[in-house]
mmCIF file with all atom_site columns, all heavy atoms in Angstrom:
data_model
loop_
_atom_site.group_PDB
_atom_site.id
_atom_site.type_symbol
_atom_site.label_atom_id
_atom_site.label_alt_id
_atom_site.label_comp_id
_atom_site.label_asym_id
_atom_site.label_entity_id
_atom_site.label_seq_id
_atom_site.pdbx_PDB_ins_code
_atom_site.Cartn_x
_atom_site.Cartn_y
_atom_site.Cartn_z
_atom_site.occupancy
_atom_site.B_iso_or_equiv
_atom_site.pdbx_formal_charge
_atom_site.auth_seq_id
_atom_site.auth_comp_id
_atom_site.auth_asym_id
_atom_site.auth_atom_id
_atom_site.pdbx_PDB_model_num
ATOM 1   N N   . ASN C 1 1  ? 3.960   -9.845  -3.718  1.00 88.00 ? 17 ASN C N   1
ATOM 2   C CA  . ASN C 1 1  ? 3.715   -10.399 -5.041  1.00 88.00 ? 17 ASN C CA  1
ATOM 3   C C   . ASN C 1 1  ? 2.374   -9.880  -5.569  1.00 88.00 ? 17 ASN C C   1
ATOM 4   O O   . ASN C 1 1  ? 1.638   -9.207  -4.862  1.00 88.00 ? 17 ASN C O   1
ATOM 5   C CB  . ASN C 1 1  ? 3.708   -11.932 -4.972  1.00 88.00 ? 17 ASN C CB  1
ATOM 6   C CG  . ASN C 1 1  ? 5.033   -12.477 -4.472  1.00 88.00 ? 17 ASN C CG  1
ATOM 7   O OD1 . ASN C 1 1  ? 6.091   -11.899 -4.721  1.00 88.00 ? 17 ASN C OD1 1
ATOM 8   N ND2 . ASN C 1 1  ? 4.974   -13.586 -3.750  1.00 88.00 ? 17 ASN C ND2 1
ATOM 9   N N   . LYS C 1 2  ? 2.068   -10.187 -6.803  1.00 89.00 ? 18 LYS C N   1
ATOM 10  C CA  . LYS C 1 2  ? 0.873   -9.630  -7.430  1.00 89.00 ? 18 LYS C CA  1
ATOM 11  C C   . LYS C 1 2  ? -0.371  -9.961  -6.630  1.00 89.00 ? 18 LYS C C   1
ATOM 12  O O   . LYS C 1 2  ? -0.686  -11.124 -6.361  1.00 89.00 ? 18 LYS C O   1
ATOM 13  C CB  . LYS C 1 2  ? 0.732   -10.167 -8.854  1.00 89.00 ? 18 LYS C CB  1
ATOM 14  C CG  . LYS C 1 2  ? -0.359  -9.440  -9.654  1.00 89.00 ? 18 LYS C CG  1
ATOM 15  C CD  . LYS C 1 2  ? -0.349  -9.864  -11.104 1.00 89.00 ? 18 LYS C CD  1
ATOM 16  C CE  . LYS C 1 2  ? -1.403  -9.079  -11.886 1.00 89.00 ? 18 LYS C CE  1
ATOM 17  N NZ  . LYS C 1 2  ? -1.405  -9.438  -13.328 1.00 89.00 ? 18 LYS C NZ  1
ATOM 18  N N   . THR C 1 3  ? -1.086  -8.915  -6.240  1.00 91.00 ? 19 THR C N   1
ATOM 19  C CA  . THR C 1 3  ? -2.276  -9.084  -5.405  1.00 91.00 ? 19 THR C CA  1
ATOM 20  C C   . THR C 1 3  ? -3.123  -7.818  -5.481  1.00 91.00 ? 19 THR C C   1
ATOM 21  O O   . THR C 1 3  ? -2.760  -6.857  -6.161  1.00 91.00 ? 19 THR C O   1
ATOM 22  C CB  . THR C 1 3  ? -1.868  -9.355  -3.935  1.00 91.00 ? 19 THR C CB  1
ATOM 23  O OG1 . THR C 1 3  ? -3.046  -9.625  -3.167  1.00 91.00 ? 19 THR C OG1 1
ATOM 24  C CG2 . THR C 1 3  ? -1.162  -8.158  -3.328  1.00 91.00 ? 19 THR C CG2 1
ATOM 25  N N   . ASP C 1 4  ? -4.238  -7.816  -4.765  1.00 93.00 ? 20 ASP C N   1
ATOM 26  C CA  . ASP C 1 4  ? -5.050  -6.612  -4.606  1.00 93.00 ? 20 ASP C CA  1
ATOM 27  C C   . ASP C 1 4  ? -4.670  -5.963  -3.281  1.00 93.00 ? 20 ASP C C   1
ATOM 28  O O   . ASP C 1 4  ? -4.619  -6.628  -2.243  1.00 93.00 ? 20 ASP C O   1
ATOM 29  C CB  . ASP C 1 4  ? -6.535  -6.944  -4.600  1.00 93.00 ? 20 ASP C CB  1
ATOM 30  C CG  . ASP C 1 4  ? -7.016  -7.490  -5.934  1.00 93.00 ? 20 ASP C CG  1
ATOM 31  O OD1 . ASP C 1 4  ? -6.322  -7.279  -6.942  1.00 93.00 ? 20 ASP C OD1 1
ATOM 32  O OD2 . ASP C 1 4  ? -8.070  -8.154  -5.958  1.00 93.00 ? 20 ASP C OD2 1
ATOM 33  N N   . LEU C 1 5  ? -4.407  -4.671  -3.326  1.00 93.00 ? 21 LEU C N   1
ATOM 34  C CA  . LEU C 1 5  ? -4.037  -3.914  -2.133  1.00 93.00 ? 21 LEU C CA  1
ATOM 35  C C   . LEU C 1 5  ? -5.254  -3.108  -1.689  1.00 93.00 ? 21 LEU C C   1
ATOM 36  O O   . LEU C 1 5  ? -5.807  -2.326  -2.466  1.00 93.00 ? 21 LEU C O   1
ATOM 37  C CB  . LEU C 1 5  ? -2.858  -2.994  -2.451  1.00 93.00 ? 21 LEU C CB  1
ATOM 38  C CG  . LEU C 1 5  ? -2.167  -2.302  -1.281  1.00 93.00 ? 21 LEU C CG  1
ATOM 39  C CD1 . LEU C 1 5  ? -1.576  -3.324  -0.319  1.00 93.00 ? 21 LEU C CD1 1
ATOM 40  C CD2 . LEU C 1 5  ? -1.059  -1.382  -1.802  1.00 93.00 ? 21 LEU C CD2 1
ATOM 41  N N   . VAL C 1 6  ? -5.681  -3.290  -0.451  1.00 94.00 ? 22 VAL C N   1
ATOM 42  C CA  . VAL C 1 6  ? -6.913  -2.683  0.054   1.00 94.00 ? 22 VAL C CA  1
ATOM 43  C C   . VAL C 1 6  ? -6.591  -1.650  1.116   1.00 94.00 ? 22 VAL C C   1
ATOM 44  O O   . VAL C 1 6  ? -5.782  -1.898  2.017   1.00 94.00 ? 22 VAL C O   1
ATOM 45  C CB  . VAL C 1 6  ? -7.854  -3.749  0.656   1.00 94.00 ? 22 VAL C CB  1
ATOM 46  C CG1 . VAL C 1 6  ? -9.159  -3.113  1.126   1.00 94.00 ? 22 VAL C CG1 1
ATOM 47  C CG2 . VAL C 1 6  ? -8.120  -4.867  -0.343  1.00 94.00 ? 22 VAL C CG2 1
ATOM 48  N N   . CYS C 1 7  ? -7.239  -0.491  1.017   1.00 95.00 ? 23 CYS C N   1
ATOM 49  C CA  . CYS C 1 7  ? -7.179  0.525   2.062   1.00 95.00 ? 23 CYS C CA  1
ATOM 50  C C   . CYS C 1 7  ? -8.561  0.634   2.691   1.00 95.00 ? 23 CYS C C   1
ATOM 51  O O   . CYS C 1 7  ? -9.538  0.917   1.999   1.00 95.00 ? 23 CYS C O   1
ATOM 52  C CB  . CYS C 1 7  ? -6.753  1.879   1.498   1.00 95.00 ? 23 CYS C CB  1
ATOM 53  S SG  . CYS C 1 7  ? -6.708  3.195   2.752   1.00 95.00 ? 23 CYS C SG  1
ATOM 54  N N   . ARG C 1 8  ? -8.635  0.416   3.999   1.00 94.00 ? 24 ARG C N   1
ATOM 55  C CA  . ARG C 1 8  ? -9.922  0.455   4.689   1.00 94.00 ? 24 ARG C CA  1
ATOM 56  C C   . ARG C 1 8  ? -9.891  1.522   5.781   1.00 94.00 ? 24 ARG C C   1
ATOM 57  O O   . ARG C 1 8  ? -8.942  1.600   6.558   1.00 94.00 ? 24 ARG C O   1
ATOM 58  C CB  . ARG C 1 8  ? -10.249 -0.909  5.294   1.00 94.00 ? 24 ARG C CB  1
ATOM 59  C CG  . ARG C 1 8  ? -11.646 -0.992  5.915   1.00 94.00 ? 24 ARG C CG  1
ATOM 60  C CD  . ARG C 1 8  ? -11.929 -2.397  6.418   1.00 94.00 ? 24 ARG C CD  1
ATOM 61  N NE  . ARG C 1 8  ? -11.860 -3.377  5.368   1.00 94.00 ? 24 ARG C NE  1
ATOM 62  C CZ  . ARG C 1 8  ? -12.840 -3.638  4.502   1.00 94.00 ? 24 ARG C CZ  1
ATOM 63  N NH1 . ARG C 1 8  ? -13.983 -2.952  4.589   1.00 94.00 ? 24 ARG C NH1 1
ATOM 64  N NH2 . ARG C 1 8  ? -12.702 -4.544  3.571   1.00 94.00 ? 24 ARG C NH2 1
ATOM 65  N N   . THR C 1 9  ? -10.919 2.347   5.812   1.00 94.00 ? 25 THR C N   1
ATOM 66  C CA  . THR C 1 9  ? -11.092 3.335   6.867   1.00 94.00 ? 25 THR C CA  1
ATOM 67  C C   . THR C 1 9  ? -12.389 3.036   7.605   1.00 94.00 ? 25 THR C C   1
ATOM 68  O O   . THR C 1 9  ? -13.098 2.076   7.289   1.00 94.00 ? 25 THR C O   1
ATOM 69  C CB  . THR C 1 9  ? -11.148 4.762   6.286   1.00 94.00 ? 25 THR C CB  1
ATOM 70  O OG1 . THR C 1 9  ? -12.390 4.936   5.576   1.00 94.00 ? 25 THR C OG1 1
ATOM 71  C CG2 . THR C 1 9  ? -9.985  5.029   5.349   1.00 94.00 ? 25 THR C CG2 1
ATOM 72  N N   . ALA C 1 10 ? -12.733 3.868   8.573   1.00 89.00 ? 26 ALA C N   1
ATOM 73  C CA  . ALA C 1 10 ? -13.966 3.649   9.322   1.00 89.00 ? 26 ALA C CA  1
ATOM 74  C C   . ALA C 1 10 ? -15.200 3.880   8.465   1.00 89.00 ? 26 ALA C C   1
ATOM 75  O O   . ALA C 1 10 ? -16.294 3.385   8.783   1.00 89.00 ? 26 ALA C O   1
ATOM 76  C CB  . ALA C 1 10 ? -13.991 4.564   10.535  1.00 89.00 ? 26 ALA C CB  1
ATOM 77  N N   . PHE C 1 11 ? -15.052 4.612   7.367   1.00 92.00 ? 27 PHE C N   1
ATOM 78  C CA  . PHE C 1 11 ? -16.219 4.996   6.577   1.00 92.00 ? 27 PHE C CA  1
ATOM 79  C C   . PHE C 1 11 ? -16.204 4.473   5.150   1.00 92.00 ? 27 PHE C C   1
ATOM 80  O O   . PHE C 1 11 ? -17.236 4.471   4.477   1.00 92.00 ? 27 PHE C O   1
ATOM 81  C CB  . PHE C 1 11 ? -16.337 6.530   6.536   1.00 92.00 ? 27 PHE C CB  1
ATOM 82  C CG  . PHE C 1 11 ? -16.293 7.169   7.888   1.00 92.00 ? 27 PHE C CG  1
ATOM 83  C CD1 . PHE C 1 11 ? -15.140 7.789   8.345   1.00 92.00 ? 27 PHE C CD1 1
ATOM 84  C CD2 . PHE C 1 11 ? -17.399 7.135   8.721   1.00 92.00 ? 27 PHE C CD2 1
ATOM 85  C CE1 . PHE C 1 11 ? -15.095 8.381   9.595   1.00 92.00 ? 27 PHE C CE1 1
ATOM 86  C CE2 . PHE C 1 11 ? -17.361 7.722   9.976   1.00 92.00 ? 27 PHE C CE2 1
ATOM 87  C CZ  . PHE C 1 11 ? -16.201 8.342   10.420  1.00 92.00 ? 27 PHE C CZ  1
ATOM 88  N N   . ASP C 1 12 ? -15.056 4.013   4.661   1.00 92.00 ? 28 ASP C N   1
ATOM 89  C CA  . ASP C 1 12 ? -14.967 3.658   3.248   1.00 92.00 ? 28 ASP C CA  1
ATOM 90  C C   . ASP C 1 12 ? -13.773 2.732   3.038   1.00 92.00 ? 28 ASP C C   1
ATOM 91  O O   . ASP C 1 12 ? -12.975 2.491   3.954   1.00 92.00 ? 28 ASP C O   1
ATOM 92  C CB  . ASP C 1 12 ? -14.808 4.927   2.409   1.00 92.00 ? 28 ASP C CB  1
ATOM 93  C CG  . ASP C 1 12 ? -15.182 4.714   0.949   1.00 92.00 ? 28 ASP C CG  1
ATOM 94  O OD1 . ASP C 1 12 ? -15.603 3.593   0.613   1.00 92.00 ? 28 ASP C OD1 1
ATOM 95  O OD2 . ASP C 1 12 ? -15.035 5.666   0.157   1.00 92.00 ? 28 ASP C OD2 1
ATOM 96  N N   . SER C 1 13 ? -13.641 2.251   1.811   1.00 93.00 ? 29 SER C N   1
ATOM 97  C CA  . SER C 1 13 ? -12.481 1.464   1.430   1.00 93.00 ? 29 SER C CA  1
ATOM 98  C C   . SER C 1 13 ? -12.300 1.554   -0.078  1.00 93.00 ? 29 SER C C   1
ATOM 99  O O   . SER C 1 13 ? -13.254 1.835   -0.808  1.00 93.00 ? 29 SER C O   1
ATOM 100 C CB  . SER C 1 13 ? -12.637 0.004   1.851   1.00 93.00 ? 29 SER C CB  1
ATOM 101 O OG  . SER C 1 13 ? -13.703 -0.608  1.151   1.00 93.00 ? 29 SER C OG  1
ATOM 102 N N   . PHE C 1 14 ? -11.092 1.351   -0.540  1.00 91.00 ? 30 PHE C N   1
ATOM 103 C CA  . PHE C 1 14 ? -10.842 1.270   -1.974  1.00 91.00 ? 30 PHE C CA  1
ATOM 104 C C   . PHE C 1 14 ? -9.753  0.252   -2.232  1.00 91.00 ? 30 PHE C C   1
ATOM 105 O O   . PHE C 1 14 ? -8.987  -0.121  -1.328  1.00 91.00 ? 30 PHE C O   1
ATOM 106 C CB  . PHE C 1 14 ? -10.485 2.642   -2.568  1.00 91.00 ? 30 PHE C CB  1
ATOM 107 C CG  . PHE C 1 14 ? -9.201  3.226   -2.064  1.00 91.00 ? 30 PHE C CG  1
ATOM 108 C CD1 . PHE C 1 14 ? -7.992  2.939   -2.681  1.00 91.00 ? 30 PHE C CD1 1
ATOM 109 C CD2 . PHE C 1 14 ? -9.198  4.087   -0.976  1.00 91.00 ? 30 PHE C CD2 1
ATOM 110 C CE1 . PHE C 1 14 ? -6.806  3.495   -2.218  1.00 91.00 ? 30 PHE C CE1 1
ATOM 111 C CE2 . PHE C 1 14 ? -8.019  4.649   -0.511  1.00 91.00 ? 30 PHE C CE2 1
ATOM 112 C CZ  . PHE C 1 14 ? -6.823  4.356   -1.132  1.00 91.00 ? 30 PHE C CZ  1
ATOM 113 N N   . VAL C 1 15 ? -9.679  -0.219  -3.475  1.00 94.00 ? 31 VAL C N   1
ATOM 114 C CA  . VAL C 1 15 ? -8.795  -1.330  -3.814  1.00 94.00 ? 31 VAL C CA  1
ATOM 115 C C   . VAL C 1 15 ? -7.923  -0.961  -5.009  1.00 94.00 ? 31 VAL C C   1
ATOM 116 O O   . VAL C 1 15 ? -8.399  -0.380  -5.991  1.00 94.00 ? 31 VAL C O   1
ATOM 117 C CB  . VAL C 1 15 ? -9.622  -2.592  -4.160  1.00 94.00 ? 31 VAL C CB  1
ATOM 118 C CG1 . VAL C 1 15 ? -8.692  -3.762  -4.485  1.00 94.00 ? 31 VAL C CG1 1
ATOM 119 C CG2 . VAL C 1 15 ? -10.568 -2.947  -3.030  1.00 94.00 ? 31 VAL C CG2 1
ATOM 120 N N   . ILE C 1 16 ? -6.643  -1.293  -4.911  1.00 92.00 ? 32 ILE C N   1
ATOM 121 C CA  . ILE C 1 16 ? -5.724  -1.227  -6.048  1.00 92.00 ? 32 ILE C CA  1
ATOM 122 C C   . ILE C 1 16 ? -5.545  -2.663  -6.525  1.00 92.00 ? 32 ILE C C   1
ATOM 123 O O   . ILE C 1 16 ? -4.961  -3.491  -5.823  1.00 92.00 ? 32 ILE C O   1
ATOM 124 C CB  . ILE C 1 16 ? -4.366  -0.619  -5.654  1.00 92.00 ? 32 ILE C CB  1
ATOM 125 C CG1 . ILE C 1 16 ? -4.556  0.779   -5.065  1.00 92.00 ? 32 ILE C CG1 1
ATOM 126 C CG2 . ILE C 1 16 ? -3.434  -0.569  -6.855  1.00 92.00 ? 32 ILE C CG2 1
ATOM 127 C CD1 . ILE C 1 16 ? -3.283  1.397   -4.523  1.00 92.00 ? 32 ILE C CD1 1
ATOM 128 N N   . THR C 1 17 ? -6.081  -2.983  -7.691  1.00 92.00 ? 33 THR C N   1
ATOM 129 C CA  . THR C 1 17 ? -6.100  -4.371  -8.151  1.00 92.00 ? 33 THR C CA  1
ATOM 130 C C   . THR C 1 17 ? -4.828  -4.730  -8.907  1.00 92.00 ? 33 THR C C   1
ATOM 131 O O   . THR C 1 17 ? -4.212  -3.898  -9.573  1.00 92.00 ? 33 THR C O   1
ATOM 132 C CB  . THR C 1 17 ? -7.313  -4.621  -9.059  1.00 92.00 ? 33 THR C CB  1
ATOM 133 O OG1 . THR C 1 17 ? -7.253  -3.741  -10.184 1.00 92.00 ? 33 THR C OG1 1
ATOM 134 C CG2 . THR C 1 17 ? -8.604  -4.388  -8.296  1.00 92.00 ? 33 THR C CG2 1
ATOM 135 N N   . GLY C 1 18 ? -4.455  -5.980  -8.792  1.00 92.00 ? 34 GLY C N   1
ATOM 136 C CA  . GLY C 1 18 ? -3.348  -6.532  -9.565  1.00 92.00 ? 34 GLY C CA  1
ATOM 137 C C   . GLY C 1 18 ? -2.034  -5.799  -9.403  1.00 92.00 ? 34 GLY C C   1
ATOM 138 O O   . GLY C 1 18 ? -1.317  -5.603  -10.388 1.00 92.00 ? 34 GLY C O   1
ATOM 139 N N   . THR C 1 19 ? -1.708  -5.403  -8.208  1.00 92.00 ? 35 THR C N   1
ATOM 140 C CA  . THR C 1 19 ? -0.475  -4.649  -8.007  1.00 92.00 ? 35 THR C CA  1
ATOM 141 C C   . THR C 1 19 ? 0.596   -5.518  -7.350  1.00 92.00 ? 35 THR C C   1
ATOM 142 O O   . THR C 1 19 ? 0.312   -6.572  -6.778  1.00 92.00 ? 35 THR C O   1
ATOM 143 C CB  . THR C 1 19 ? -0.723  -3.399  -7.143  1.00 92.00 ? 35 THR C CB  1
ATOM 144 O OG1 . THR C 1 19 ? 0.445   -2.585  -7.140  1.00 92.00 ? 35 THR C OG1 1
ATOM 145 C CG2 . THR C 1 19 ? -1.048  -3.787  -5.706  1.00 92.00 ? 35 THR C CG2 1
ATOM 146 N N   . SER C 1 20 ? 1.820   -5.065  -7.420  1.00 93.00 ? 36 SER C N   1
ATOM 147 C CA  . SER C 1 20 ? 2.935   -5.679  -6.710  1.00 93.00 ? 36 SER C CA  1
ATOM 148 C C   . SER C 1 20 ? 3.909   -4.563  -6.392  1.00 93.00 ? 36 SER C C   1
ATOM 149 O O   . SER C 1 20 ? 3.836   -3.471  -6.948  1.00 93.00 ? 36 SER C O   1
ATOM 150 C CB  . SER C 1 20 ? 3.607   -6.763  -7.557  1.00 93.00 ? 36 SER C CB  1
ATOM 151 O OG  . SER C 1 20 ? 4.122   -6.206  -8.769  1.00 93.00 ? 36 SER C OG  1
ATOM 152 N N   . GLY C 1 21 ? 4.816   -4.806  -5.475  1.00 93.00 ? 37 GLY C N   1
ATOM 153 C CA  . GLY C 1 21 ? 5.761   -3.756  -5.126  1.00 93.00 ? 37 GLY C CA  1
ATOM 154 C C   . GLY C 1 21 ? 6.452   -4.030  -3.814  1.00 93.00 ? 37 GLY C C   1
ATOM 155 O O   . GLY C 1 21 ? 6.413   -5.141  -3.281  1.00 93.00 ? 37 GLY C O   1
ATOM 156 N N   . THR C 1 22 ? 7.076   -2.985  -3.286  1.00 95.00 ? 38 THR C N   1
ATOM 157 C CA  . THR C 1 22 ? 7.846   -3.093  -2.050  1.00 95.00 ? 38 THR C CA  1
ATOM 158 C C   . THR C 1 22 ? 7.404   -2.006  -1.087  1.00 95.00 ? 38 THR C C   1
ATOM 159 O O   . THR C 1 22 ? 7.269   -0.839  -1.472  1.00 95.00 ? 38 THR C O   1
ATOM 160 C CB  . THR C 1 22 ? 9.357   -2.947  -2.326  1.00 95.00 ? 38 THR C CB  1
ATOM 161 O OG1 . THR C 1 22 ? 9.764   -3.973  -3.236  1.00 95.00 ? 38 THR C OG1 1
ATOM 162 C CG2 . THR C 1 22 ? 10.160  -3.070  -1.036  1.00 95.00 ? 38 THR C CG2 1
ATOM 163 N N   . PHE C 1 23 ? 7.169   -2.401  0.154   1.00 95.00 ? 39 PHE C N   1
ATOM 164 C CA  . PHE C 1 23 ? 6.815   -1.441  1.195   1.00 95.00 ? 39 PHE C CA  1
ATOM 165 C C   . PHE C 1 23 ? 7.984   -1.297  2.152   1.00 95.00 ? 39 PHE C C   1
ATOM 166 O O   . PHE C 1 23 ? 8.566   -2.283  2.608   1.00 95.00 ? 39 PHE C O   1
ATOM 167 C CB  . PHE C 1 23 ? 5.570   -1.897  1.951   1.00 95.00 ? 39 PHE C CB  1
ATOM 168 C CG  . PHE C 1 23 ? 5.149   -0.959  3.048   1.00 95.00 ? 39 PHE C CG  1
ATOM 169 C CD1 . PHE C 1 23 ? 4.725   0.331   2.744   1.00 95.00 ? 39 PHE C CD1 1
ATOM 170 C CD2 . PHE C 1 23 ? 5.170   -1.349  4.378   1.00 95.00 ? 39 PHE C CD2 1
ATOM 171 C CE1 . PHE C 1 23 ? 4.339   1.219   3.742   1.00 95.00 ? 39 PHE C CE1 1
ATOM 172 C CE2 . PHE C 1 23 ? 4.784   -0.477  5.385   1.00 95.00 ? 39 PHE C CE2 1
ATOM 173 C CZ  . PHE C 1 23 ? 4.373   0.813   5.064   1.00 95.00 ? 39 PHE C CZ  1
ATOM 174 N N   . LEU C 1 24 ? 8.339   -0.039  2.467   1.00 95.00 ? 40 LEU C N   1
ATOM 175 C CA  . LEU C 1 24 ? 9.412   0.271   3.404   1.00 95.00 ? 40 LEU C CA  1
ATOM 176 C C   . LEU C 1 24 ? 8.780   0.832   4.674   1.00 95.00 ? 40 LEU C C   1
ATOM 177 O O   . LEU C 1 24 ? 8.423   2.021   4.725   1.00 95.00 ? 40 LEU C O   1
ATOM 178 C CB  . LEU C 1 24 ? 10.389  1.281   2.797   1.00 95.00 ? 40 LEU C CB  1
ATOM 179 C CG  . LEU C 1 24 ? 10.997  0.914   1.437   1.00 95.00 ? 40 LEU C CG  1
ATOM 180 C CD1 . LEU C 1 24 ? 11.868  2.054   0.917   1.00 95.00 ? 40 LEU C CD1 1
ATOM 181 C CD2 . LEU C 1 24 ? 11.806  -0.375  1.535   1.00 95.00 ? 40 LEU C CD2 1
ATOM 182 N N   . PRO C 1 25 ? 8.577   0.021   5.706   1.00 94.00 ? 41 PRO C N   1
ATOM 183 C CA  . PRO C 1 25 ? 7.873   0.470   6.915   1.00 94.00 ? 41 PRO C CA  1
ATOM 184 C C   . PRO C 1 25 ? 8.515   1.670   7.599   1.00 94.00 ? 41 PRO C C   1
ATOM 185 O O   . PRO C 1 25 ? 7.816   2.547   8.116   1.00 94.00 ? 41 PRO C O   1
ATOM 186 C CB  . PRO C 1 25 ? 7.909   -0.769  7.824   1.00 94.00 ? 41 PRO C CB  1
ATOM 187 C CG  . PRO C 1 25 ? 8.076   -1.914  6.899   1.00 94.00 ? 41 PRO C CG  1
ATOM 188 C CD  . PRO C 1 25 ? 8.920   -1.408  5.776   1.00 94.00 ? 41 PRO C CD  1
ATOM 189 N N   . ALA C 1 26 ? 9.847   1.721   7.624   1.00 92.00 ? 42 ALA C N   1
ATOM 190 C CA  . ALA C 1 26 ? 10.521  2.816   8.325   1.00 92.00 ? 42 ALA C CA  1
ATOM 191 C C   . ALA C 1 26 ? 10.219  4.167   7.694   1.00 92.00 ? 42 ALA C C   1
ATOM 192 O O   . ALA C 1 26 ? 10.256  5.203   8.365   1.00 92.00 ? 42 ALA C O   1
ATOM 193 C CB  . ALA C 1 26 ? 12.030  2.574   8.346   1.00 92.00 ? 42 ALA C CB  1
ATOM 194 N N   . LYS C 1 27 ? 9.892   4.159   6.395   1.00 93.00 ? 43 LYS C N   1
ATOM 195 C CA  . LYS C 1 27 ? 9.602   5.402   5.675   1.00 93.00 ? 43 LYS C CA  1
ATOM 196 C C   . LYS C 1 27 ? 8.131   5.527   5.311   1.00 93.00 ? 43 LYS C C   1
ATOM 197 O O   . LYS C 1 27 ? 7.738   6.522   4.686   1.00 93.00 ? 43 LYS C O   1
ATOM 198 C CB  . LYS C 1 27 ? 10.456  5.467   4.402   1.00 93.00 ? 43 LYS C CB  1
ATOM 199 C CG  . LYS C 1 27 ? 11.955  5.430   4.655   1.00 93.00 ? 43 LYS C CG  1
ATOM 200 C CD  . LYS C 1 27 ? 12.740  5.412   3.353   1.00 93.00 ? 43 LYS C CD  1
ATOM 201 C CE  . LYS C 1 27 ? 14.245  5.345   3.618   1.00 93.00 ? 43 LYS C CE  1
ATOM 202 N NZ  . LYS C 1 27 ? 15.022  5.263   2.354   1.00 93.00 ? 43 LYS C NZ  1
#
């Protein structure tokens, strides 16, 4: 549902704000 999606690495991070969608783990 609508949320902020965060990507975190060992050195940095960035945020996709106000997003929603579907994640397919197998792909």
Side-chain angles (χ1 to χ4, degrees):
N17 300 328
K18 190 172 183 178
T19 185
D20 294 341
L21 190 61
V22 182
C23 178
R24 186 177 300 279
T25 71
F27 308 102
D28 200 2
S29 65
F30 65 88
V31 181
I32 302 174
T33 59
T35 189
S36 60
T38 301
F39 180 64
L40 306 176
K43 300 177 181 177

